Amino acid sequence: MPRASGPLAEALRHRTVILDGGLSNQLADQGCDLSGGLWTGRVLAERPDQVEAAHTAYARAGAEVLITAGYQVGYEAFAAHGYDRAATTALLHRGVALAARAAEAADHEVWVAASVGPYGAVRADGSEYRGRYGLSVRELAAFHRPRIEALLDAGPDVLAVETLPDPDEAEAVLAVLAETGASAWLAYTVADGRTRSGAPLREAFALAADAPEIIALGVNCCDPAEVLPALEEAAATTRKPLLAYPNDGSVWDAATHTWHTPATPAPWPARAWHRAGARLIGGCCRIGPAAIAALAGAVHPGEGRDTPGGDLA
């Protein structure tokens, strides 16, 4: 069937749309090697069939948006691993094409969102969870501009500007989006009621509250307990649809490249997020197809997909 019947922004005016889950954990479950600084970008380069299979697993679980594998793909980072500019651009294009193939094979409409990860992601040192890179807004815009242009050339339905730790980086990306006119969502990663860099959430959300290019605003890759307070802060600044795709409450240890998992599973009060204004809901790191199927079953009951248990109260 066609990938999607219309713009994602239009769909969000009428209903809740289900995002996919963590690409890295699904690739790992499929036996892929994510070691080294390129992370999912390594699989994109070496095992594109596995990337498409991961997207397909989420589409079959009920995901209506597939986020591409380009989160950690950046020109500078890949140059250090022997990829010239053309090769890196080709990988960004490949990521969109693989998600598009999985979307077109689905039995329901699916949008393709090209991942625009933060500057810290391509450093592969965990700095996306700290921010404050020491770069100016102009320098951050110069970093993001060529990747965004390359992704747009590949024809995604929307850009997924995600895991931003710092309002300065949001300001930089918003400037690039204004140049292109491209549609995007924008998601901060948050902790202790603030952005990861320590900025007040209301001020951070206000930067994008009226940006015409932004179709939804919210948070991702954070503890589920952080989501509802963050959505309430976002709702106080904008009438745009909100979004939420947290992880499972684990904390990433950049030194050991491991996740520290909570002793008990974090609750996922997805219905409360919906009541707060979230219209794009899904999962990030360590959230797999089973959890997305449960979420899809709760949001779109009676559509015939598997709905294993989960806390969606």
Side-chain angles (χ1 to χ4, degrees):
M1 66 180 298
R3 194 161 89 194
S5 58
L8 179 58
E10 181 62 26
L12 295 178
R13 294 189 183 100
H14 304 289
R15 64 183 183 88
T16 300
V17 174
I18 302 298
L19 294 167
D20 60 8
L23 187 60
S24 60
N25 49 267
Q26 180 60 22
L27 291 172
D29 287 347
Q30 292 171 195
C32 297
D33 185 355
L34 278 72
S35 62
L38 302 183
W39 201 41
T40 56
R42 175 178 178 177
V43 187
L44 179 62
E46 299 175 358
R47 297 291 308 276
D49 59 315
Q50 291 297 313
V51 173
E52 184 175 352
H55 288 316
T56 297
Y58 281 115
R60 288 175 176 168
E64 300 170 276
V65 180
L66 300 176
I67 303 173
T68 68
Y71 173 83
Q72 208 148 356
V73 179
Y75 288 99
E76 297 84 350
F78 272 66
H81 287 80
Y83 291 80
D84 64 18
R85 197 168 189 83
T88 301
T89 296
L91 281 180
L92 291 167
H93 289 184
R94 174 186 288 179
V96 175
L98 293 171
R101 284 217 299 258
E104 288 159 3
D107 64 358
H108 57 282
E109 67 176 350
V110 177
W111 288 267
V112 172
S115 177
V116 179
Y119 174 78
V122 303
R123 294 172 60 174
D125 62 358
S127 57
E128 67 261 51
Y129 299 115
R130 299 189 301 270
R132 297 179 177 172
Y133 309 124
L135 299 179
S136 68
V137 171
R138 183 187 295 266
E139 289 170 322
L140 287 168
F143 164 78
H144 281 288
R145 185 175 290 108
R147 182 170 55 161
I148 287 174
E149 290 174 347
L151 289 169
L152 291 175
D153 285 344
D157 297 301
V158 67
L159 298 178
V161 179
E162 54 184 354
T163 327
L164 297 189
D166 198 317
D168 284 352
E169 189 161 22
E171 185 178 348
V173 174
L174 287 167
V176 176
L177 293 177
E179 295 169 5
T180 66
S183 295
W185 76 65
L186 190 149
Y188 290 102
T189 180
V190 301
D192 301 320
R194 305 173 79 87
T195 71
R196 296 279 185 157
S197 66
L201 284 179
R202 193 166 300 196
E203 294 178 14
F205 288 128
L207 286 172
D210 298 316
E213 296 80 19
I214 299 300
I215 67 167
L217 191 59
V219 295
N220 80 296
C221 208
C222 60
D223 190 302
E226 296 280 350
V227 170
L228 185 57
L231 292 177
E232 290 170 346
E233 289 294 305
T237 70
T238 185
R239 292 189 174 183
K240 294 181 184 293
L242 305 183
L243 67 96
Y245 53 116
N247 57 39
D248 69 344
S250 297
V251 177
W252 176 248
D253 186 332
T256 62
H257 288 235
T258 56
W259 288 97
H260 296 298
T261 305
T264 57
W268 264 56
R271 293 191 181 97
W273 303 342
H274 182 269
R275 288 192 294 270
R279 294 298 177 266
L280 270 172
I281 304 178
C284 201
C285 300
R286 301 171 66 81
I287 302 299
I292 297 305
L295 181 63
V299 172
H300 303 310
E303 294 190 0
R305 299 189 184 97
D306 293 336
T307 56
D311 186 351
L312 299 169

